[in-house]
Amino acid sequence: MSTEKILLLDGNSLAYRAFFALPLLTNEHGIHTNAVYGFTMMLQKIMDEENPTHMLVAFDAGKTTFRHSTFGDYKGGRQKTPPELSEQFPYIRKLIDAYGIKRYELEMYEADDIIGTLSKQADEKGQQVVIVSGDKDLTQLATDKTTVYITRKGITDIEKYTPEHVQEKYGLTPLQIIDMKGLMGDASDNIPGVPGVGEKTAIKLLKEHGSVEDLYKALDTVSGVKLKEKLIANEEQAIMSKALATIETAAPIQISIDDLSYTGPNMEEVIEVWKELAFKTLLEKSDYISEESETTEVAFEIVEKIDSTILDKVMSVHLEMYDGQYHTSELLGIALSDGEKGYFAPADIAFQSKDFCSWLENATNKKYLADSKATQAVSRKHNVNVHGVEFDLLLAAYIVNPAISSEDVAAIAKEFGYFNLLTNDSVYGKGAKKTAPEIEKIAEHAVRKARAIWDLKEKLEVKLEENEQYALYKEIELPLASILGTMESDGVLVDKQILVEMGHELNIKLRAIEQDIYALAGETFNINSPKQLGVILFEKIGLTPIKKTKTGYSTAADVLEKLASEHEIIEQILLYRQLGKLNSTYIEGLLKEIHEDDGKIHTRYQQALTSTGRLSSINPNLQNIPVRLEEGRKIRKAFVPSQPGWVMFAADYSQIELRVLAHMSKDENLVEAFNNDLDIHTKTAMDVFHVEQEAVTSDMRRAAKAVNFGIVYGISDYGLSQNLDITRKEAATFIENYLNSFPGVKGYMDDIVHDAKQTGYVTTILNRRRYLPEITSSNFNLRSFAERTAMNTPIQGSAADIIKKAMIDMAERLISENMQTKMLLQVHDELIFEAPPEEIAMLEKIVPEVMENAIKLIVPLKVDYAFGSSWYDTK
DNA sequence: TGCGTCACG
DNA sequence: ACGTACGTGACGCAA
């Protein structure tokens, strides 16, 4: 059997399809790009799916073809190709060449004929062929070995025509498609056919008679006087039409299948075309940044020590790690750049150089870094405290635009028009294929990064100044990076034994529940598979499906809770899920993250990731340790102070987001509520339900709380109705009552959305920005989402600003008070410390003081705190 | 790798 | 009419 797979594409037809399927896009030079883009998408998809060994794109050669000698008006009356499409053909050809795909055109013949001829040759050799076109005529070429793909509305949606599929669809063989065209004609090609005979009649006649020729031989048997007359009157025209519709399978082509072998794209050339056409999404998805990275040399040397002959007062430094998990990753080496020359010191000598270590520690030596937190954390492992950080590329880029959330220097640089370096993925590979190349490659890669940091510093600082964000960057994010680095390096001690014992108990319970569930279901299955569970619940047991997901029945907790009264298995499943989550994520997951050397967990805070300005925590995530349910909360017993006799001390902001909302909206009612330190949910219930404080029931307060959440999230009646399990109308009434009671909030929400539409972005108290390009979209969903984001981001982001400022003030205060207390964790609105008992009294004073005064709002900030012998006990 | 689910603020 | 609450990360399953 042949392993060859031949892909034949109809270039003209596909370009037309792409052109009309996509809106007119242009690049910055005003060249239209939609057809090229659509063509590219289709090409990528089809190559991904088919893995062809041979490929050809066939084009029509010119206006006149051999068919015109049969019928002068062939394709007559057809609209001229729009100039917006014509101008794109050169780019399509260029792209095909860059992909390394053969293309071919032949005087007097159409693309169809080239494809027909080649597919016939392949077919005869028993080779597998796939034909791709937007023109259904080509389905006549389908055989056992040849499948014809026809694009369906859009460009990447494809219908596959095998002879069987043609049969199903028309009741005809592929070759009879020609006869059908002969009878019914084809308006788009100006093929006349027999007037008055359409698709249905044509198919019916062919089913009975087989072909146009046989039909005319047996005209007597055709029923219907009119039809017979029409057929007789147009016999010649029918024969001619059939000939016109027949694809030539013996065109005098000068190429053969063997010439079409496909060995893969020249990505540099492809990228070049993409860049020319500004295909941003495709460029982003590709690992290749630019061919410039291949051409522009960066001068550097690999050194055997870093000493004063290299070091200068100002340099960019980059610690090249094997991966982003710098707490455990291997250091590969250190790159330095002075803006002209680069140096690379392999890992084994880098921190061995005394000159270099003291250079790092001396604040008068200014360093430009890509990621100061990582640099400081890794240096600290080598007992070096880095000072004099003057620039942090990662943070600067993130402040300019938080949508730039990549950690990859190349990806960041690209955003600012700097292409002279490669992504980590393209140097090391990704996934299972990841491996370190030879040291010279690593050195060059790292030096390019160091150079990029140097070259981008000024540009980014100018941007920050323009946006009035320099203070946010330099006075908040940059100092915070050092603090977070210290928190990460210090880590938090976790009592392994506590987790192990909880794990044992959980496993026993889980096994028992599992057996109960199997007994109730009457069979064993994988409870963790939503798919299998759905079958058991909704098909075997016959419960009523309430909600669906893309892939089947929803078995989410809120759905199951509604079914709990229908069958006792539900309760067991919910319990199984709850305990299973604890076991897999929080027992087994956390145990895996405990470092053997110190028994601690060292999370990593991602400081340049979220679109709102919050931090995130990974490997492991310590910002989502269970607290709401007692069983889960017990996990916190394992988080203990790192020194005997010390305590955990936790402080959290009370209602910080609603206080921020009060500040920003200046709503009098809300401001007054916080000035009087009211219970805000009770106060909201009073206003929404028009009752006195004494009359507020717990249900009313719960509803009011949900309304407050809704306000912060960017309210929608549907969302609230889902959350409270009430009708949309009731939810709408709640919202209306709320906005009438807090008119300043309504005004603020309207203004913020309006402003975002004008400027394209929203800002926080410290001038953090988030761009919302979709807020002017004509797509309702995209626009609505952007509008809710516009309402939520200033609130969530300002709260993030406040706690970040508090962390900086707190770290300073601990030093100035000469305290041993360590800040360990941040969980969005709370800070967790460990402290010697003699410092508790001081903490009780300074922690609330510092946090409450981090940033002055027009309402007071309020902080609650607690301490105890584990995180669990800080309540 | 994407999806569903669920933990947190 | 449209179909959604905002922001995250980790796990197991099923392609």
Side-chain angles (χ1 to χ4, degrees), chain A residues 272-563:
Chain A
E272 192 48 43
V273 182
W274 286 355
K275 271 170 65 185
E276 200 172 343
L277 299 169
F279 288 172
K280 244 188 135 192
T281 9
L282 285 168
L283 282 169
E284 274 164 23
K285 271 195 227 160
S286 75
D287 291 343
Y288 299 78
I289 293 304
S290 159
E291 46 91 55
E292 284 165 59
S293 58
E294 306 298 318
T295 56
T296 311
E297 276 193 30
V298 170
F300 75 98
E301 63 176 293
I302 298 179
V303 296
E304 286 173 5
K305 61 176 190 280
I306 312 176
D307 59 21
S308 52
T309 61
I310 295 171
L311 294 163
D312 211 330
K313 282 278 165 210
V314 185
M315 290 193 104
S316 60
V317 186
H318 181 71
L319 271 53
E320 183 68 13
M321 311 291 290
Y322 182 63
D323 66 48
Q325 174 47 308
Y326 50 76
H327 291 309
T328 52
S329 177
E330 181 194 355
L331 174 68
L332 299 173
I334 292 180
L336 293 143
S337 172
D338 59 11
E340 286 178 14
K341 189 147 183 229
Y343 306 91
F344 182 82
D348 52 341
I349 64 136
F351 281 104
Q352 307 306 314
S353 302
K354 286 276 175 340
D355 284 359
F356 177 60
C357 293
S358 51
W359 183 87
L360 280 176
E361 295 205 309
N362 188 340
T364 55
N365 300 317
K366 300 299 177 203
K367 292 101 192 161
Y368 305 166
L369 307 172
D371 180 348
S372 60
K373 175 160 68 69
T375 306
Q376 289 172 325
V378 173
S379 300
R380 200 173 295 116
K381 280 203 285 194
H382 295 88
N383 298 312
V384 173
N385 288 305
V386 179
H387 293 105
V389 176
E390 186 67 18
F391 178 68
D392 184 320
L393 175 66
L394 184 70
L395 293 175
Y398 173 69
I399 294 306
V400 167
N401 183 358
I404 305 172
S405 57
S406 174
E407 288 189 309
D408 192 296
V409 178
I412 296 169
K414 185 180 65 168
E415 295 287 339
F416 299 96
Y418 185 99
F419 298 102
N420 199 12
L421 71 170
L422 300 169
T423 60
N424 287 331
D425 283 351
S426 68
V427 171
Y428 296 103
K430 54 180 171 182
K433 280 184 244 159
K434 181 163 178 166
T435 168
E438 63 271 33
I439 193 76
E440 287 77 14
K441 278 243 166 105
I442 295 173
E444 183 180 343
H445 179 53
V447 167
R448 282 179 190 278
K449 288 190 199 172
R451 180 61 183 271
I453 296 165
W454 181 285
D455 289 346
L456 283 164
K457 176 176 180 276
E458 194 180 336
K459 185 169 194 174
L460 278 155
E461 287 180 343
V462 167
K463 281 249 180 207
L464 289 164
E465 290 286 3
E466 274 173 13
N467 293 357
E468 298 182 353
Q469 293 181 301
Y470 193 75
L472 170 62
Y473 157 73
K474 194 74 183 235
E475 286 160 33
I476 301 289
E477 300 297 349
L478 208 49
L480 182 65
S482 300
I483 294 166
L484 291 171
T486 310
M487 290 164 64
E488 293 178 4
S489 299
D490 284 347
V492 53
L493 187 68
V494 174
D495 188 329
K496 200 170 172 177
Q497 207 44 47
I498 294 180
L499 292 180
V500 170
E501 277 167 29
M502 283 183 72
H504 284 316
E505 287 169 28
L506 279 172
N507 274 312
I508 293 166
K509 284 189 192 165
L510 279 166
R511 275 199 291 273
I513 300 165
E514 197 180 56
Q515 292 310 317
D516 286 353
I517 291 171
Y518 294 156
L520 287 164
E523 65 181 284
T524 63
F525 64 101
N526 188 340
I527 308 168
N528 282 323
S529 161
K531 196 179 167 192
Q532 295 182 35
L533 180 61
V535 172
I536 297 284
L537 294 183
F538 303 112
E539 289 175 18
K540 185 163 183 197
I541 298 181
L543 299 175
T544 338
I546 292 178
K547 215 165 59 177
K548 273 194 177 172
T549 66
K550 280 180 200 167
T551 49
Y553 309 108
S554 170
T555 66
D558 61 323
V559 171
L560 295 188
E561 274 158 23
K562 288 177 186 150
L563 297 168

Side-chain angles (χ1 to χ4, degrees), chain A residues 610-802:
Chain A
T610 70
S611 22
T612 56
R614 274 188 175 181
L615 302 175
S616 94
S617 158
I618 55 168
N619 304 128
N621 182 356
L622 293 186
Q623 291 181 320
N624 72 346
I625 303 302
V627 68
R628 292 173 190 169
L629 299 173
E630 177 57 26
E631 297 94 309
R633 191 175 204 151
K634 289 201 164 70
I635 300 282
R636 294 178 175 223
K637 286 178 190 277
F639 289 79
V640 294
S642 65
Q643 310 212 36
W646 282 34
V647 295
M648 304 296 278
F649 187 103
D652 69 290
Y653 283 108
S654 161
Q655 304 297 350
I656 189 169
E657 293 193 335
L658 288 171
R659 286 172 199 264
V660 166
L661 175 61
H663 171 83
M664 293 198 298
S665 69
K666 300 188 170 57
D667 179 274
E668 287 177 20
N669 195 15
L670 199 55
V671 169
E672 200 194 314
F674 282 121
N675 280 334
N676 293 323
D677 199 22
L678 300 184
D679 175 328
I680 194 63
H681 301 318
T682 304
K683 161 67 178 159
T684 305
M686 289 161 61
D687 290 350
V688 169
F689 296 107
H690 309 298
V691 296
E692 293 301 311
Q693 188 176 335
E694 299 70 36
V696 174
T697 64
S698 63
D699 270 353
M700 286 158 84
R701 187 176 181 281
R702 189 177 61 87
K705 190 173 173 179
V707 172
N708 279 327
F709 270 102
I711 294 296
V712 169
Y713 291 159
I715 198 78
S716 84
D717 51 9
Y718 183 87
L720 182 63
S721 74
Q722 287 298 297
N723 190 286
L724 282 177
D725 206 6
I726 56 177
T727 67
R728 206 164 145 166
K729 236 184 155 174
E730 288 167 324
T733 310
F734 285 5
I735 292 165
E736 203 188 323
N737 287 348
Y738 178 94
L739 294 175
N740 286 334
S741 306
F742 300 94
V745 173
K746 178 164 172 39
Y748 165 76
M749 294 296 182
D750 291 345
D751 289 349
I752 201 99
V753 169
H754 179 260
D755 289 355
K757 284 184 190 187
Q758 297 297 313
T759 61
Y761 61 86
V762 290
T763 56
T764 66
I765 288 179
L766 294 186
N767 224 7
R768 193 183 300 282
R769 269 188 196 191
R770 180 177 184 178
Y771 291 92
L772 299 168
E774 287 170 342
I775 202 154
T776 51
S777 167
S778 57
N779 178 313
F780 177 89
N781 279 334
L782 294 179
R783 190 177 63 246
S784 301
F785 187 32
E787 287 171 356
R788 290 197 297 274
T789 310
M791 297 186 243
N792 172 264
T793 295
I795 300 173
Q796 193 184 115
S798 296
D801 292 350
I802 293 169

Side-chain angles (χ1 to χ4, degrees), chain A residues 99-139:
Chain A
Y99 269 101
I101 300 167
K102 302 292 181 302
R103 56 186 169 82
Y104 190 68
E105 53 193 72
L106 180 62
E107 270 316 306
M108 301 302 284
Y109 288 85
E110 295 180 59
D112 303 9
D113 305 311
I114 301 167
I115 291 173
T117 306
L118 284 166
S119 74
K120 186 161 187 210
Q121 287 179 9
D123 210 64
E124 283 166 357
K125 286 198 229 162
Q127 291 166 318
Q128 246 201 317
V129 178
V130 168
I131 293 170
V132 190
S133 176
D135 183 351
K136 280 191 184 153
D137 284 5
L138 278 86
T139 53

Side-chain angles (χ1 to χ4, degrees), chain A residues 48-82:
Chain A
D48 275 0
E49 285 176 6
E50 305 295 335
N51 271 319
T53 55
H54 295 72
M55 277 184 86
L56 175 88
V57 183
F59 286 98
D60 299 345
K63 275 188 177 166
T64 316
T65 69
F66 73 92
R67 290 187 178 83
H68 288 86
S69 56
T70 312
F71 179 49
D73 212 15
Y74 174 67
K75 291 204 173 175
R78 180 179 272 208
Q79 290 252 310
K80 218 175 141 259
T81 306

